[in-house]
Structure formats: C-alpha cells, structure tokens
Amino acid sequence: MIASLQIPRNTEIPTMNIAPIRILLVDDHGIMLEGLAAVLGRHEGFEVVGQASDGETAISMFQTLAPDVSIVDLRMSPMDGVELTELMRGENPNARVVLLTTYDTDEDVFRGLKAGAASYLLKDVDSSVLMDTIRTVHSGRRAIAPEIAAKLAEHVASDALTARQLEVLKCLALGKSNMEIAETLYISEGTVKAHVKAILQKLDARDRTQAITIAMKRGIVRVG
C-alpha cells in the first residue's frame, strides 16, 4: 500500500515562474508593429518591451532595453534590417535577431544571415511558426526553414560572381549592348563578352534573357 503524501496546512507549494521572452519589434509600418504586438500579447511567455519604426530609434532601444530577441523588418529606410542587425551584433555579439519581410529573394536571405540574423521569416508566416521561431532563437539556435535553406544553396552560384561580373550583369538587366557596357565600364568589348560567357555558366543560363530572369528572381539585381 502506498502511503498518501500529507501536505501540512498553511504550507505554500512552490511554483516555477518562467520569465517571458522580452521582444523588441522594429518595422517602419505602424500597422505591422501593432499587429505583431497584438499577436504576441495574446500568448503567455512573450513580452513586447519596445516598438521602433526606424533603425536609429531601434538601436537606442536595443541598448537601453537589452531585449532577448529583436524582430526586425528587412526593408526599411534609411537604415535597413541588415545594417541594423550588424549594429545590434556589434553592440552585443550574442544579440538574437529574426528578420521579417515580404520578400524572399535569396540575396536578401544571404545578406541577412551573413549579418548575423538567427532566422528569416516572411510576413505572412503563421503565428504559431513565429512563436516557435522566437523560442528557438531565444534558446541560442538558428531557425532556418527548409525553403530558405534551399534558396541559400542556390545562392552559392551567384555568390561566385566577381564584382566586375555583377557590374556587367546589372548592365545587361538595363538592356545595354556589349558595346554600351564596354563604354560604361571602360573595358573592351571582348572583355564584356568573356564576362557574359562566365555569367551564363555560373548562373546555368542558356542566354542573356534567362540570366537576367534568374538574377532578378534571386534578388542579385533589381531594375527600377
């Protein structure tokens, strides 16, 4: 027979108080800030300690509040999310940053993760995935979705392009001929042709049009 556990009267049973994850939100769209704060505020274990709509305010709040995790919009002006991530990591090498954006081009993914971000999520992400990602990042791990990892793998080829080849590729995207590119970059037309050939090989493109399409899809070049 197992004896029952007797708890003396007036004795308090200790409970574990787990501190919530303190979060700094950074986005230049007010409605996005409000939405994120509302979503996180509905769930225990999260506390939004600050909201900033620009990089300068964000870095000041980061220094003052020392959040556990910062959720940062990638496309902001004049300081974008990559630059802000670099500043945060410069202030604290252990800073945990999740980049949030509407864009999923692998060039943006690569820049963000290279700057030290621990994760990268699209703004239409399910709230449960967002919270799981925050918990994972808070624990000191990276949270990279399979589709993002695939884009990073694709980036290997484009990252192999030299600075000059990137310049030539941008000129191609603007519709310039070999002669026009040569005049723009102060190189010979033969050199331009050599660069174009190398670009096609590295991007695994059959012609200029496909190379430009691939480059724009991956975010290597932007027109407009």
Side-chain angles (χ1 to χ4, degrees):
M1 180 175 180
I2 300 175
S4 61
L5 177 64
Q6 299 296 321
I7 301 176
R9 291 182 178 180
N10 302 322
T11 299
E12 293 184 0
I13 299 176
T15 58
M16 292 184 64
N17 294 319
I18 302 176
I21 300 174
R22 303 172 66 257
I23 301 168
L24 171 63
L25 301 176
V26 186
D27 198 300
D28 57 1
H29 291 88
I31 193 169
M32 191 66 195
L33 283 176
E34 294 175 8
L36 282 171
V39 169
L40 294 172
R42 289 198 298 266
H43 298 83
E44 292 185 4
F46 303 96
E47 179 186 1
V48 177
V49 296
Q51 300 180 45
S53 59
D54 61 83
E56 185 176 350
T57 302
I59 196 64
S60 177
M61 285 187 170
F62 178 81
Q63 295 167 335
T64 303
L65 301 172
D68 297 318
V69 177
S70 298
I71 300 178
V72 177
D73 182 20
L74 179 61
R75 297 277 181 96
M76 296 188 299
S77 180
M79 183 189 300
D80 67 16
V82 174
E83 294 171 307
L84 182 55
T85 298
E86 291 173 339
L87 284 176
M88 288 178 169
R89 298 279 294 179
E91 288 282 338
N92 178 6
N94 295 317
R96 297 179 172 95
V97 180
V98 175
L99 288 175
L100 198 61
T101 184
T102 54
Y103 303 90
D104 65 349
T105 54
D106 59 299
E107 180 66 18
D108 291 327
V109 176
F110 181 79
R111 288 179 61 238
L113 297 181
K114 187 176 181 180
S119 186
Y120 181 106
L121 294 174
L122 299 183
K123 288 186 176 180
D124 61 357
V125 66
D126 185 81
S127 60
S128 62
V129 175
L130 172 63
M131 290 183 288
D132 286 343
T133 298
I134 293 172
R135 294 188 188 99
T136 298
V137 170
H138 178 248
S139 71
R141 294 175 292 160
R142 278 193 164 192
I144 310 298
E147 61 269 23
I148 298 300
K151 288 181 179 295
L152 285 174
E154 288 181 356
H155 189 280
V156 174
S158 59
D159 189 45
L161 293 174
T162 65
R164 178 62 84 185
Q165 287 166 357
L166 284 172
E167 290 178 329
V168 171
L169 182 57
K170 290 175 182 177
C171 287
L172 289 176
L174 292 174
K176 293 186 177 183
S177 66
N178 286 350
M179 183 177 295
E180 290 172 328
I181 295 173
E183 292 174 350
T184 299
L185 301 180
Y186 301 102
I187 56 180
S188 70
E189 192 171 351
T191 300
V192 172
K193 291 179 180 178
H195 283 315
V196 171
K197 181 178 179 180
I199 290 169
L200 297 182
Q201 291 177 338
K202 290 181 178 180
L203 295 183
D204 193 23
R206 62 178 176 273
D207 54 36
R208 295 173 179 232
T209 301
Q210 187 179 31
I212 294 168
T213 300
I214 292 172
M216 293 181 70
K217 182 178 178 181
R218 295 183 184 178
I220 302 171
V221 298
R222 298 187 181 94
V223 178

